[in-house]
Amino acid sequence: MHTPATNSIGKHNNVRKANRGNNEELAKLLRNDISGTTIIDQSVESIGFSNNSVSEYPDNIYPEPAFRESVEDATQRRLLNRHVQFIAISGVIGTALFVAIGKPLYRGGPGSLLLAFILWCVPILCITVSTAEMVCFLPISSPFLRLANKCVDNSMAMMASWNFWVLECVQIPLEIVSVNTIIQYWTDNYSPAFPLLIQVLLYLLISFCAVKYYGELEFWLASFKIILAIGLFCFTFFTILGANPKHDRYGFRNFSESPFKTYFPNGNTSSGDMYGYFHGFANCLIQASFTMAGGEYISMLAGEVKLPREVLPKAFKQVFYRLTIIFIGSCICVGLICSPNDKNLTASINEARPGAGSSPYVIAMNNLGIRIVPDIVNGGLITAAFSAGNAYTYCSSRTLYGMALDGYAPKIFTTCTKNGVPLYAVGVSLLWAVLSLLQLNSNSAIVLNWLINLVTASQLINFVNLCIIYLFFRKAYLLQKDSLPELPFKSWGQPFTAYFGLFSALIMTFVQGYTVFYSNLWTFRDFLFCYFMVFLDIGLYIYCKIFQGPDEFKSPENVDFATDLKEIEAHELNNSFDDFKHFHA
């Protein structure tokens, strides 16, 4: 935790000497800075004391922290367990789960789609538990990115930070374009710049609210997504049993029609069915690698969670299970309600039909003669896309804030409002929204595909980075564990779990854009969107390693965990949580 204070260090020393037995006076002095302004929730916590009488502790128990010059340099710990879980879910569930899932269904069939998502759950689980172990241990702002600086080297920290920031920022215009394609389900008689402007302004207004209000809003927006998913699950269950206007009890008819389909990306069918089935499955697996995320969204909340070492371990477990159920459940549902050979699905993919028009759910509703509900689903999809973009705005701004704290971005991005909002970081992250203007000169569905390719590569690289950072963290922790508190979250099978996640993500990083190498499909533009981030990240790492001065790998014995852990522990003790009390025993 990064605790601000506007008072000088000398003033705090005087407070400690003069008020050793008087908590009320101590808190009063600490809450007021030189100009008389108020610092909320920064009483005794700002110098490391709990709410108990200060006289309980010797002078050397709570060391003086490095005070910042202004209160406007830190976020605030206000998020509760329900906020964390729903914001994390919101950042993962977007239109891809309800709309883009139709493309792999069409190309690979429901069997390949379901198998691919189940298979990709395994590396995602490995990456998630590895991330959870290190983030729950050191829940600071941008935790895994700053652990790269602590445990690996500066070049890795720089590369991982910029890659993750780009990953989050690119998804802002992705969701803005998604909203536009959804609106086009009703009409396209408007300028795409209009919804862009409205969304950016709303994201800006929401981001400038105190984090607890942002958490509440995102809690309800994420709730709508979950309600939408549950509603579509119920729709599937009842309609396959015959509860539809046609009274058609179709059961598993659509699923069994073509469970595995052949797909030839270059149009050459002479290579045989086996290659066709492989390409169909590969397309489904690539979609799964884009749609399913690990624990990075929970991680970015770590610096603003009220009781991080109590809340985060639960959140990592619960969010993974809930998302897995939603993802696998969605694959089963679209396979049951919509045939991969459906003429409307085929037309929507080949013609890049906008919005909900390409959603297997909406296609099924239209096939069954169901009215009004498709429009309700379309409205729900707008909420889902808007909420996801809002979550990406939050994560990207906090990433940039964490980068600035470690010196990988200009220090101005550490500036926060009195509500703990990183003002300039939010503004710069939202500038990426202008990428959505690409749709003014191209079909919005085509632009959406470009952005998906860019995001997929960046996300897979981030998975690789997470596993590498964890392996270095684990080595440092094991060497120092006798002098450190126990792990709040313990993963299993390490380090093999992390290695499996690492190699799975690494392989998929190069596989995800393989179709661009077919001679009749080659375009430099498509190649750039698929692999640009790979070359950029490798180049950035090499540049930093060679030209940014000596950058040796950090010695695991000398990694400093204690400084941040003492601040976190002091904050938790101040909020009556002492399960991991170690330094202040």
Side-chain angles (χ1 to χ4, degrees):
M1 186 186 71
H2 305 278
T3 307
T6 53
N7 306 352
S8 66
I9 296 178
K11 180 176 178 180
H12 283 289
N13 288 334
N14 291 336
V15 169
R16 291 180 65 175
K17 293 176 182 178
N19 300 283
R20 183 154 284 288
N22 192 333
N23 269 6
E24 292 184 3
E25 185 64 22
L26 177 64
K28 180 179 178 182
L29 286 172
L30 285 172
R31 285 194 177 99
N32 293 278
D33 65 5
I34 296 171
S35 61
T37 56
T38 299
I39 302 174
I40 301 174
D41 285 350
Q42 299 294 339
S43 55
V44 290
E45 177 193 344
S46 63
I47 59 168
F49 291 113
S50 73
N51 281 331
N52 300 321
S53 175
V54 181
S55 60
E56 290 178 36
Y57 305 106
D59 284 343
N60 63 345
I61 290 295
Y62 290 86
E64 297 285 357
F67 293 102
R68 296 214 176 106
E69 295 178 358
S70 167
V71 69
E72 298 174 344
D73 283 329
T75 52
Q76 298 175 2
R77 291 191 179 274
R78 301 289 184 84
L79 295 176
L80 305 177
N81 183 36
R82 61 189 179 90
H83 297 145
V84 173
Q85 293 194 40
F86 278 73
I87 292 173
I89 290 173
S90 184
V92 177
I93 299 179
T95 54
L97 190 64
F98 306 112
V99 179
I101 200 172
K103 184 178 290 185
L105 173 67
Y106 164 70
R107 290 176 174 172
S112 292
L113 180 66
L114 180 59
L115 183 60
F117 271 75
I118 291 174
L119 183 64
W120 190 245
C121 278
V122 179
I124 287 294
L125 175 61
C126 295
I127 295 165
T128 299
V129 296
S130 300
T131 305
E133 185 172 302
M134 60 181 174
V135 170
C136 293
F137 175 75
L138 198 69
I140 55 180
S141 296
S142 304
F144 65 86
L145 299 175
R146 300 181 69 198
L147 278 167
N149 180 38
K150 286 180 178 289
C151 304
V152 189
D153 61 12
N154 293 328
S155 300
M156 180 65 180
M158 174 78 83
M159 182 271 284
S161 297
W162 283 105
N163 177 77
F164 189 70
W165 185 64
V166 169
L167 167 62
E168 298 306 300
C169 289
V170 169
Q171 292 187 87
I172 298 173
L174 173 65
E175 296 302 335
I176 291 175
V177 173
S178 295
V179 168
N180 183 46
T181 62
I182 294 166
I183 295 174
Q184 287 177 4
Y185 175 75
W186 291 305
T187 179
D188 59 359
N189 189 25
Y190 66 91
S191 170
F194 183 64
L196 161 67
L197 181 62
I198 293 176
Q199 279 182 265
V200 170
L201 287 175
L202 287 174
Y203 290 156
L204 200 61
L205 291 173
I206 293 169
S207 296
F208 284 162
C209 294
V211 69
K212 66 178 181 180
Y213 299 120
Y214 167 84
E216 284 296 329
L217 177 63
E218 200 57 42
F219 171 81
W220 290 108
L221 288 174
S223 298
F224 293 147
K225 288 186 183 183
I226 294 174
I227 291 171
L228 176 63
I230 293 174
L232 293 173
F233 288 178
C234 292
F235 162 79
T236 302
F237 177 75
F238 288 114
T239 56
I240 64 173
L241 296 178
N244 56 73
K246 293 185 176 181
H247 305 291
D248 180 10
R249 192 167 184 170
Y250 57 91
F252 285 81
R253 182 198 309 155
N254 293 320
F255 197 100
S256 59
E257 182 179 312
S258 295
F260 300 95
K261 284 186 65 178
T262 57
Y263 169 59
F264 301 93
N266 63 345
N268 182 12
T269 60
S270 61
S271 53
D273 287 349
M274 283 300 296
Y275 286 97
Y277 288 126
F278 168 77
H279 288 305
F281 175 76
N283 189 268
C284 294
L285 191 60
I286 292 169
Q287 180 66 33
S289 69
F290 162 73
T291 305
M292 300 183 70
E296 59 269 29
Y297 294 102
I298 303 175
S299 302
M300 299 315 296
L301 305 172
E304 295 177 75
V305 179
K306 188 172 184 179
L307 297 175
R309 291 188 289 184
E310 177 186 34
V311 169
L312 292 177
K314 298 177 184 176
F316 272 102
K317 294 175 185 176
Q318 294 169 354
V319 168
F320 175 79
Y321 294 139
R322 290 174 183 177
L323 288 176
T324 300
I325 291 171
I326 291 174
F327 286 133
I328 302 302
S330 294
C331 292
I332 295 172
C333 287
V334 296
L336 291 174
I337 63 174
C338 184
S339 168
N341 302 317
D342 186 280
K343 62 180 181 180
N344 292 314
L345 179 64
T346 302
S348 69
I349 301 301
N350 295 333
E351 298 170 11
R353 206 177 272 178
S358 59
S359 168
Y361 294 106
V362 173
I363 291 172
M365 291 172 187
N366 290 328
N367 289 342
L368 293 171
I370 298 174
R371 307 292 182 185
I372 301 176
V373 179
D375 296 297
I376 296 174
V377 171
N378 211 46
L381 292 175
I382 291 177
T383 302
F386 177 83
S387 174
N390 193 38
Y392 299 139
T393 301
Y394 173 90
C395 287
S396 60
S397 63
R398 270 46 178 191
T399 301
L400 187 56
Y401 168 77
M403 290 162 60
L405 288 176
D406 277 347
Y408 301 128
K411 188 170 177 57
I412 191 174
F413 294 121
T414 63
T415 302
C416 295
T417 67
K418 65 180 181 180
N419 292 324
V421 177
L423 178 69
Y424 299 113
V426 170
V428 170
S429 296
L430 271 176
L431 287 177
W432 283 75
V434 299
L435 278 179
S436 61
L437 293 177
L438 286 170
Q439 64 187 308
L440 294 177
N441 294 322
S442 300
N443 184 304
S444 59
I446 295 174
V447 174
L448 196 64
N449 190 54
W450 293 345
L451 294 175
I452 286 174
N453 290 339
L454 192 63
V455 167
T456 302
S458 189
Q459 179 162 283
L460 288 166
I461 294 169
N462 186 61
F463 290 160
V464 172
N465 292 339
L466 281 168
C467 294
I468 292 173
I469 295 167
Y470 169 77
L471 291 169
F472 278 85
F473 159 79
R474 183 175 184 272
K475 185 176 182 180
Y477 176 80
L478 290 177
L479 286 172
Q480 301 183 36
K481 67 178 182 179
D482 292 338
S483 61
L484 295 171
E486 63 180 272
L487 295 168
F489 183 103
K490 295 179 181 178
S491 55
W492 56 89
Q494 297 290 5
F496 305 106
T497 302
Y499 279 122
F500 181 80
L502 168 63
F503 290 120
S504 297
L506 190 62
I507 291 169
M508 285 302 299
T509 300
F510 294 99
V511 168
Q512 51 90 22
Y514 78 99
T515 57
V516 302
F517 296 106
Y518 284 107
S519 57
N520 63 332
L521 296 177
W522 169 264
T523 65
F524 181 72
R525 181 192 62 196
D526 290 341
F527 173 78
L528 198 63
F529 276 106
C530 288
Y531 293 102
F532 174 73
M533 290 306 300
V534 176
F535 295 111
L536 179 65
D537 288 338
I538 293 174
L540 182 59
Y541 182 84
I542 293 174
Y543 173 81
C544 294
K545 199 73 174 174
I546 297 175
F547 298 106
Q548 293 294 309
D551 183 25
E552 298 180 356
F553 288 107
K554 303 296 175 70
S555 172
E557 298 89 351
N558 298 325
V559 172
D560 178 20
F561 294 121
T563 301
D564 289 314
L565 285 172
K566 288 175 182 177
E567 290 189 51
I568 294 164
E569 186 173 307
H571 167 79
E572 291 179 337
L573 290 173
N574 195 44
N575 286 274
S576 304
F577 180 74
D578 61 359
D579 285 13
F580 298 96
K581 186 176 181 180
H582 178 80
F583 297 101
H584 305 134

